[in-house]
Every structure is written in structure tokens, then in C-alpha cells.
Amino acid sequence: QMQNFRALGLDALARNDLETAERWLRDAIPVALEEGGRYMLEVYRFLTETLVRQGRLEDAETLVEFAARSVPEEDLVAHAYVQLAQAAVAAAQRNHKAIELYARAIDALERHLLPIEAADARVTFAAALRDLGEPVEARNQLTVARQGFERMGASGPCALVDTELERMASGAG
């Protein structure tokens, strides 16, 4: 059930239907808490991104602080999810610390052989870089993300990345 809530939340987030994304991700929390560990922190990560995109930075900061308290010290992937949430808040605050947070989180995901999660994080990182005035590095992150998705045969994410790369090339992004 948690995976269904998560998938529906991520689909809504990808469509920029933030109200629906928030609802599905909040519905996932009780199940994620029951399952514990990374599932919970992954839900918090995406809920934080949703809140940031809604302009609710105080709520997002509160959620990140709460999530950070429940990270098992030895679970570096869980730390990466929290870093991604922290990076989303930092980027929304136009704080360049976001760049370091995204880079460390993506590195941890790659070292733990989580290619989909790493590629997805690169797409989010690219949006932050673009907003922070780093369009060249944003394109680089999208290119690496696309290569990762392509290696896994993930045609849907490849198409989304291609659309974003085209937008950036046309000057729209």
C-alpha cells in the first residue's frame, strides 16, 4: 500500500499537481512509519519537495528537522534522503549550500547502487542549479540523469529529461 501511495504522490508531483501529491504522500506516512527506515525518509523527502514547491518553506523546514531526528546513524542512504530534503529547502532559500547537499546525497545513492534514485535526484538537482543560476551544470546533471535512466530502460523519465533539456536549449528554462 505504501508503494501505491508513494507512486501516486510522485506521479502527481511530476504533473505539478501539488495538492494531490501532498495528499498521497501524507497518506503514505502512517504506512511508512509502520515499515520504518528508508521508506519513511523517502516519503518525507518527496513531501518536503512538495511543500517547497507550494512555497511552504516553514512547513518544509519543520518536516526536514523532524525527519533528520529519525535517521539511523549507520544508514547512509537514509542520510542521503534527508540531505535531498535539506537541499530542496536550501535551494528554495537560494542558499548555495544546496549544491553540496545534492552532490553528497547523489554520491551516496550511487555508491549504494541505487541508480534510479540517483538519476531522479539529479533531475531535482538540475532544477535547483538552474534556479541558482548554474545552467551549464544543470544541463550536465540532466544529461547524466538521462544516461542513467536510459541504461535502465526507463523511457518515461528519459522523455521528461529530453523535454527539460529542450526547454533549456530554447532558453525557456
Side-chain angles (χ1 to χ4, degrees):
Q1 189 176 25
M2 201 283 299
Q3 292 297 333
N4 291 336
F5 290 149
R6 177 192 168 281
L8 291 166
L10 292 180
D11 178 64
L13 189 59
R15 292 181 286 108
N16 210 34
D17 182 353
L18 302 177
E19 186 176 307
T20 301
E22 180 181 0
R23 181 173 44 89
W24 284 119
L25 292 167
R26 285 196 186 277
D27 286 350
I29 289 173
V31 181
L33 284 170
E34 190 175 297
E35 292 184 21
R38 292 182 192 166
Y39 292 118
M40 176 183 64
L41 295 166
E42 186 181 30
V43 169
Y44 287 155
R45 172 215 167 178
F46 289 116
L47 183 54
T48 298
E49 288 183 23
T50 302
L51 295 171
V52 164
R53 286 170 56 182
Q54 289 174 333
R56 295 167 52 196
L57 291 185
E58 281 186 34
D59 292 341
E61 283 180 297
T62 301
L63 182 61
V64 170
E65 289 168 11
F66 176 76
R69 285 182 276 188
S70 59
V71 178
E73 188 63 37
E74 68 283 353
D75 190 341
L76 299 179
V77 173
H79 282 279
Y81 288 137
V82 171
Q83 287 173 334
L84 290 170
Q86 291 169 329
V89 172
Q93 295 169 333
R94 317 265 321 142
N95 182 337
H96 280 72
K97 179 182 178 186
I99 294 171
E100 180 185 333
L101 289 165
Y102 276 118
R104 284 194 328 229
I106 291 166
D107 181 60
L109 294 171
E110 288 177 337
R111 280 187 286 118
H112 285 84
L113 305 177
L114 296 168
I116 290 178
E117 290 84 347
D120 176 69
R122 285 184 184 282
V123 172
T124 305
F125 186 20
L129 286 164
R130 185 191 62 231
D131 293 345
L132 290 169
E134 302 285 345
V136 172
E137 184 56 28
R139 278 190 293 278
N140 290 341
Q141 290 297 324
L142 286 172
T143 300
V144 174
R146 192 197 187 289
Q147 291 167 349
F149 288 132
E150 188 173 40
R151 276 192 301 274
M152 294 174 282
S155 58
C158 282
L160 292 173
V161 170
D162 288 343
T163 299
E164 185 58 24
L165 285 166
E166 289 169 15
R167 264 182 14 98
M168 291 178 77
S170 73

